[in-house]
Amino acid sequence: MKNIIFDFGNVLVQWHPEHVYGEYFGDEAKAWWFLRHVADMDFRQRIDAGESFDGCIREKQAQYPEYEQAIELYRSKWREMLTDEVPGMREVIVELRGKNYELYGLTNWSMETFPEAREHFGILQMIDRYVVSGAEGLVKPDPRLFQVLLDRYGLCAEECIFIDDNPDNVAAARNMGMRGIVFTNAESLRKELAI
């Protein structure tokens, strides 16, 4: 395996919308309820697939007028949802580069916000070959998004390791012939990669 493909959110950069909503609601349980039922996975994936923040937010606000302000926070406070680099991952990237692995990124992320995140977090700049869902109109675990990456960089799936914190995305990569690793932390990843 010579090519290693990283998800970005919660693999390289910590993404915690529950922190913003926990502070807003003053209640962690309410924050998680909101993220499961209002600003839910469908809402987030539509934005990650390239739909506009403003359009998706307006639609949600029409559905849930009682949460109008909370829904708006998903855009106005998105930067605060990104808290820091994932501990230990910068060192993992440096070591892998030193061992001549080819590093790539495959992320579900809106192109409205990805450029600013990349500018702010140096770890994202360490991987300069990547595919962003918002630019392609596709989101993981759709195999077509994986295929975009393979085609763009001339990669063979059987020569790739894909690392993501979402088991569904890892399963999709495995179905395409890649080796897949469900990410939990840098230490466990080191053991899986034997570095």
Side-chain angles (χ1 to χ4, degrees):
M1 301 288 182
K2 63 178 183 178
N3 307 307
I4 302 182
I5 306 164
F6 290 92
D7 174 37
F8 289 165
N10 289 331
V11 174
L12 301 185
V13 177
Q14 296 175 335
W15 183 74
H16 293 295
E18 71 275 12
H19 292 175
V20 167
Y21 284 107
E23 184 178 324
Y24 174 78
F25 288 113
D27 183 309
E28 190 173 316
K30 284 183 183 176
W32 281 113
W33 183 92
F34 178 84
L35 290 166
R36 281 192 298 269
H37 300 283
V38 182
D40 58 5
M41 182 60 76
D42 178 66
F43 169 77
R44 297 193 296 269
Q45 285 201 324
R46 286 176 57 198
I47 291 171
D48 285 347
E51 292 190 43
S52 76
F53 267 93
D54 288 346
C56 290
I57 284 171
R58 281 196 302 270
E59 186 178 309
K60 273 294 178 186
Q61 288 171 328
Q63 284 181 287
Y64 297 95
E66 68 275 27
Y67 290 110
E68 181 177 353
Q69 185 177 3
I71 294 165
E72 173 59 33
L73 291 180
Y74 194 81
R75 180 64 181 95
S76 62
K77 298 279 191 180
W78 78 270
R79 177 58 194 80
E80 294 173 35
M81 298 177 191
L82 296 171
T83 56
D84 206 347
E85 293 182 5
V86 172
M89 286 306 293
R90 177 179 286 265
E91 292 77 13
V92 168
I93 296 289
V94 169
E95 288 185 47
L96 291 172
R97 288 171 84 174
K99 293 176 184 281
N100 295 316
Y101 284 96
E102 299 292 328
L103 306 184
Y104 301 87
L106 184 63
T107 185
N108 284 353
W109 206 310
S110 167
M111 283 306 295
E112 290 183 52
T113 55
F114 180 73
E116 185 179 339
R118 183 170 162 78
E119 184 178 329
H120 183 81
F121 291 99
I123 194 169
L124 297 180
Q125 297 168 31
M126 296 173 76
I127 296 180
D128 56 12
R129 292 171 293 183
Y130 55 85
V131 166
V132 179
S133 63
E136 309 301 331
L138 300 165
V139 291
K140 295 176 292 182
D142 189 327
R144 293 175 297 171
L145 187 63
F146 291 85
Q147 195 63 51
V148 169
L149 179 83
L150 296 176
D151 292 345
R152 184 163 297 162
Y153 297 107
L155 305 179
C156 175
E158 290 73 20
E159 295 178 344
C160 296
I161 300 172
F162 176 69
I163 300 160
D164 198 303
D165 62 309
N166 184 324
D168 291 340
N169 297 339
V170 172
R174 289 175 178 156
N175 287 339
M176 295 190 72
M178 299 182 196
R179 178 181 164 202
I181 297 175
V182 178
F183 181 82
T184 53
N185 57 56
E187 183 180 349
S188 295
L189 181 62
R190 282 177 178 282
K191 291 175 183 172
E192 289 257 22
L193 295 174
I195 59 171

